[in-house]
């Protein structure tokens, strides 16, 4: 998170991938990786990671919001607004 906050999103991606290799069932790692991908505007990869986070934690609605947010960035408004409804 510190790397992403320091504007080093590419380095954050590498760090999150290493953490996920060690703990592949950690939903937070996939969510954080999705955030880093989004900062790099790599929307398709962000979406894959947010979906994996949701698969691991289906009760956590933040993942649905993140998925919706990516769809909005992609211009996929129906899916995007549906997910946006889960914002805090």
């Amino acid at each position: 998170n510190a790397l992403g906050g320091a504007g080093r999103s590419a380095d954050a991606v590498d760090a999150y991938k290493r953490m996920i290799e060690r703990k592949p069932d950690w939903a937070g790692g996939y969510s954080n990786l999705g955030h880093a991908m989004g900062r790099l505007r790599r929307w398709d990869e962000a979406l894959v990671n947010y979906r994996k986070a949701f698969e691991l934690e289906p009760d956590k609605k933040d993942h649905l919001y993140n998925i919706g947010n990516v769809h909005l960035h992609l211009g996929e408004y129906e899916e995007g607004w549906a997910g946006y409804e889960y914002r805090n």
Side-chain angles (χ1 to χ4, degrees), residues 6-79:
R8 296 174 52 193
S9 295
D11 293 329
V13 164
D14 292 336
Y16 290 132
K17 285 182 177 180
R18 285 193 307 271
M19 286 191 289
I20 289 168
E21 284 176 7
R22 292 182 180 175
K23 191 168 181 178
D25 60 342
W26 178 43
Y30 290 98
S31 182
N32 288 336
L33 181 54
H35 294 328
M37 292 294 190
R39 284 191 298 273
L40 294 170
R41 304 219 181 283
R42 292 165 56 178
W43 301 118
D44 291 337
E45 292 168 275
L47 191 57
V48 166
N49 285 287
Y50 288 143
R51 285 182 174 152
K52 180 64 177 181
F54 180 67
E55 177 185 317
L56 292 169
E57 286 183 332
D59 295 333
K60 190 167 181 184
K61 302 305 180 196
D62 290 349
H63 302 311
L64 293 174
Y65 168 78
N66 292 331
I67 291 167
N69 198 30
V70 170
H71 282 293
L72 289 174
H73 281 288
L74 293 172
E76 299 164 351
Y77 298 113
E78 187 173 337
E79 298 95 337

